[in-house]
Amino acid sequence: MNYDIKTTELALTGKQRIDWADRFMPVLASIRARFETERPLDGFTIAACLHVTTETANLMKTLKAGGAEVALCASNPLSTQDDVAASLVADEQIGVFAINGEDTETYYQHIDATLALHPTITMDDGADLVSRLHSEETNPALVEQVAAGTEETTTGVIRLKSMAAEGVLKYPIIAVNDAQTKHFFDNRYGTGQSTLDGIIRATNLLLAGTTVVVAGYGWCGRGVANRARGLGAKVIVTEVTALRALEAVMDGFRVMPMTEAVKEAELVITLTGDIHVLRKEHFEVMKDGALIANSGHFNVEIDIPALEALSIAKNTAREFIEEYTLADGRKLFLIGEGRLVNLTAAEGHPASVMDMSFATQALSVEHIAKNRDSLQKGVYDVPVAIDENVARLKLEAFGIQIDTLTPAQEKYLNSWEMGT
């Protein structure tokens, strides 16, 4: 087993934290128990590029229980929990290639190290691994061995659909991000809570009475906007899509262009998946002392080079916070280097919500194993049966029962003749 982590001496702490997360992941635990018996992943090798957290550790344990050989690298240089990496190596004998704070060169070396396992399935969060696998730097024979893969996040699905549209995607990918149990719960409730958790940990900010600008009203933006309002913040939403902007208005938020919104902002949070959502013209009119955070996948949502070009000084104001002094004396504060604030300054999503996302991941990988010969190149939705199964298992874990349709009700819903 090869690995590259900070140290194995943190393994005990990592195991304690992994076990604690597992207490709140009953759906994944039930799948793991079944996998141990059925071994649906025997003979498969999985290269995973995900945030190395306690929840991810339980997913890796589940895949290994199913019979797969697994290697894991980080999907973000600042999200790795070094104690978790240590436990996966020392206690689970899973090859991990991730060190918190690693530089860009090391980041891609670690991706290459997982690919050296010659994977038959890939598991990605942001599509960096898939992009690397398709790049000129990688042995072309590697991609030919891959049966299929999964993608965890919005940004990655966007990239993969672009690759598919251009005809360059060389194998099928299941868009786990687009499952209803993923974006309804992980993106809305997970991102909503964990983003504010990261900001509060980093700043000790009182949100009540604070003017917060939320860039983007997709599922992640909806979650953050509503949670911020629940904590007493005055929330402004910015959007580029008319329907989402209208939804934000109907949900009771103020909606305006970013150039106007930042003039009032005490905190700006980007959640769009796009590039340069905050730019030079926005920094030039922001209030003195404004805080800037990103919860989209990549730090490119904030034009950091433009901010640095406008600044005459840069200092560390507090752990996770960089202070930029502009020529006119105003100070702007960037949290977590503009990377995912919920993972750089906090622990990411609560285990309870990741339970559903990673259950969907595990079942999607099982679907690949059982249907590899029938899947064609392209980006696939998660099968509806998997979505419904995860929701049912989560309800059972909560001890909640629901009604079922009577035969007469089913007949009525499937008939065009019984309108009255």
Side-chain angles (χ1 to χ4, degrees):
M1 180 187 63
N2 294 322
Y3 62 88
D4 185 21
I5 61 175
K6 183 177 182 180
T7 176
T8 57
E9 295 179 0
L10 300 171
L12 177 58
T13 301
K15 186 177 187 330
Q16 291 171 336
R17 295 181 59 239
I18 292 167
D19 289 346
W20 178 259
D22 194 41
R23 295 171 60 89
F24 301 95
M25 304 181 79
V27 177
L28 190 63
S30 69
I31 293 170
R32 187 184 312 130
R34 177 172 65 82
F35 275 16
E36 286 176 346
T37 300
E38 298 179 4
R39 304 280 292 184
L41 305 181
D42 270 339
F44 287 89
T45 302
I46 300 174
C49 182
L50 303 170
H51 300 292
V52 182
T53 65
T54 56
E55 296 80 17
T56 302
N58 284 308
L59 173 60
M60 296 299 106
K61 289 169 61 178
T62 302
L63 299 175
K64 184 178 179 182
E69 183 180 358
V70 183
L72 172 67
C73 64
S75 61
N76 185 300
L78 295 181
S79 66
T80 296
Q81 296 168 2
D82 288 320
D83 57 344
V84 170
S87 179
L88 283 174
V89 169
D91 301 317
E92 306 299 333
Q93 289 73 56
I94 291 175
V96 180
F97 304 88
I99 301 170
N100 186 278
E102 63 192 27
D103 58 27
T104 300
E105 181 181 359
T106 304
Y107 175 77
Y108 283 103
Q109 287 175 351
H110 283 165
I111 290 178
D112 290 342
T114 64
L115 294 177
L117 203 66
H118 293 252
T120 49
I121 295 175
T122 62
M123 186 173 285
D124 219 340
D125 188 321
D128 274 355
L129 185 145
V130 173
S131 296
R132 187 71 166 181
L133 193 56
H134 284 69
S135 70
E136 295 180 357
E137 290 88 352
T138 306
N139 182 349
L142 288 177
V143 73
E144 302 299 330
Q145 301 173 0
V146 179
T150 65
E151 171 54 51
E152 172 74 11
T153 199
T154 305
T155 300
V157 172
I158 291 170
R159 296 175 75 187
L160 292 167
K161 286 183 176 179
S162 175
M163 292 174 70
E166 294 179 14
V168 298
L169 184 62
K170 296 182 179 180
Y171 59 86
I173 302 280
I174 295 179
V176 170
N177 177 80
D178 292 351
Q180 294 191 69
T181 45
K182 168 65 163 67
H183 63 234
F184 281 168
F185 301 97
D186 180 318
N187 292 3
R188 176 166 46 174
Y189 300 114
T191 304
Q193 177 170 312
S194 64
T195 296
L196 298 183
D197 179 26
I199 291 168
I200 292 169
R201 291 196 200 196
T203 65
N204 199 28
L205 176 71
L206 176 66
L207 283 173
T210 299
T211 300
V212 177
V213 172
V214 175
Y217 204 66
W219 287 109
C220 294
R222 290 181 184 98
V224 171
N226 280 282
R227 293 300 170 277
R229 178 167 60 183
L231 287 169
K234 298 176 288 185
V235 180
I236 300 170
V237 171
T238 70
E239 251 298 342
V240 296
T241 302
L243 283 172
R244 288 182 176 175
L246 181 60
E247 182 180 6
V249 170
M250 301 292 274
D251 284 345
F253 297 106
R254 297 169 65 198
V255 176
M256 62 181 70
M258 181 64 81
T259 305
E260 297 302 316
V262 293
K263 294 176 182 177
E264 302 184 32
E266 294 163 282
L267 168 64
V268 183
I269 310 169
T270 57
L271 303 106
T272 70
D274 208 343
I275 191 171
H276 295 172
V277 180
L278 280 178
R279 306 181 293 276
K280 176 183 177 182
E281 61 264 34
H282 303 133
F283 303 136
E284 289 176 333
V285 297
M286 292 179 93
K287 295 172 66 172
D288 180 34
L291 296 158
I292 302 167
N294 169 55
S295 207
H297 189 78
F298 294 119
N299 63 345
V300 296
E301 298 213 18
I302 300 164
D303 189 353
I304 298 173
L307 177 59
E308 292 180 340
L310 288 171
S311 303
I312 58 173
K314 175 184 174 182
N315 299 290
T316 299
R318 180 183 167 102
E319 185 181 13
F320 304 122
I321 300 178
E322 295 299 318
E323 173 190 275
Y324 290 85
T325 303
L326 307 187
D328 60 6
R330 285 180 299 123
K331 297 181 186 297
L332 302 179
F333 297 93
L334 179 65
I335 306 174
E337 300 180 10
R339 299 188 183 275
L340 282 163
V341 70
N342 57 346
L343 282 156
T344 56
E347 298 179 51
H349 295 351
S352 181
V353 74
M354 292 308 299
D355 186 29
M356 287 182 282
S357 297
F358 284 162
T360 304
Q361 281 277 19
L363 295 178
S364 294
V365 169
E366 181 184 31
H367 177 78
I368 289 169
K370 292 180 176 179
N371 298 276
R372 62 181 300 180
D373 294 333
S374 62
L375 296 173
Q376 305 299 314
K377 298 175 184 177
V379 180
Y380 287 78
D381 291 335
V382 171
V384 173
I386 290 178
D387 234 353
E388 292 178 347
N389 187 30
V390 170
R392 178 183 58 80
L393 290 171
K394 193 66 172 178
L395 285 172
E396 289 178 1
F398 285 146
I400 294 172
Q401 297 180 341
I402 60 174
D403 290 324
T404 57
L405 294 174
T406 66
Q409 288 172 328
E410 287 189 7
K411 182 178 179 181
Y412 181 84
L413 291 175
N414 291 304
S415 172
W416 61 271
E417 298 172 314
M418 299 175 64
T420 58

